[in-house]
Amino acid sequence: MTEGIMLVASVIVATSMSGMVISKTGILNSSFAISAETQKDIILTKIKVVYATGTSSSQVAKVWVKNVGSATITNTDKLDVYFGKVGSTTRIPYNAGSNPTWVYSAGVTQWQIKDTVQIEITNDANLSANSTYVVRIVTPNGVADEYLFST
């Protein structure tokens, strides 16, 4: 009788353990799939800052960025734009109510493959003469490029 109870208890414990292992394997498999999809998205995304310019008599810097990757870039308002003199860049907010701010020169909701977009950065003061500025653009998934220009 005792052996029978032990046998039943062992079967119950083994069944519970195998259920937990199978459950955790499914969660792990799902995590790997999500990670692989994220990595694929990063690999297919590539941008190139092709040109940037600004003058010392203006607060505005204009930047042209091309999607040279193999994927459309969505959530374009979630781009991170960093701008400033070399060594002292700051993150510029998108379409903020006050300067500094940045906007697209034309409405952009999706950035198609091979499209070039123009970004206008309005600084909180005129750009300094004879200075070197850097602009760094970072996509929502972390792919980045930067460009240096002088006034």
Side-chain angles (χ1 to χ4, degrees):
M1 182 72 147
T2 305
E3 293 172 351
I5 293 173
M6 291 298 285
L7 180 63
V8 170
S10 298
V11 169
I12 291 172
V13 169
T15 304
S16 299
M17 294 296 280
S18 65
M20 283 192 297
V21 168
I22 290 172
S23 157
K24 296 298 180 186
T25 302
I27 292 170
L28 187 61
N29 196 13
S30 176
S31 296
F32 281 133
I34 290 169
S35 179
E37 186 64 30
T38 301
Q39 290 301 315
K40 176 184 155 198
D41 187 40
I42 291 170
I43 290 168
L44 294 176
T45 303
K46 186 171 182 182
I47 60 169
K48 179 72 178 159
V49 179
V50 293
Y51 186 66
T53 187
T55 62
S56 59
S57 60
S58 174
Q59 291 178 276
V60 178
K62 296 183 179 182
V63 183
W64 287 264
V65 189
K66 186 171 193 75
N67 179 356
V68 294
S70 302
T72 299
I73 298 171
T74 57
N75 298 322
T76 53
D77 59 330
K78 302 295 185 221
L79 253 63
D80 287 329
V81 174
Y82 297 88
F83 178 74
K85 290 182 183 178
V86 172
S88 63
T89 59
T90 58
R91 184 179 176 279
I92 308 296
Y94 173 71
N95 205 15
S98 61
N99 296 339
T101 187
W102 73 271
V103 295
Y104 292 100
S105 61
V108 176
T109 55
Q110 285 195 342
W111 195 353
Q112 300 297 329
I113 299 166
K114 298 184 182 176
D115 279 356
T116 301
V117 298
Q118 181 182 344
I119 293 172
E120 292 183 2
I121 301 168
T122 304
N123 202 18
D124 52 359
N126 283 352
L127 304 181
S128 300
N130 302 317
S131 295
T132 302
Y133 286 86
V134 63
V135 61
R136 182 173 178 83
I137 310 294
V138 184
T139 64
N141 62 358
V143 175
D145 194 35
E146 65 183 43
Y147 190 92
L148 284 94
F149 69 94
S150 297
T151 54

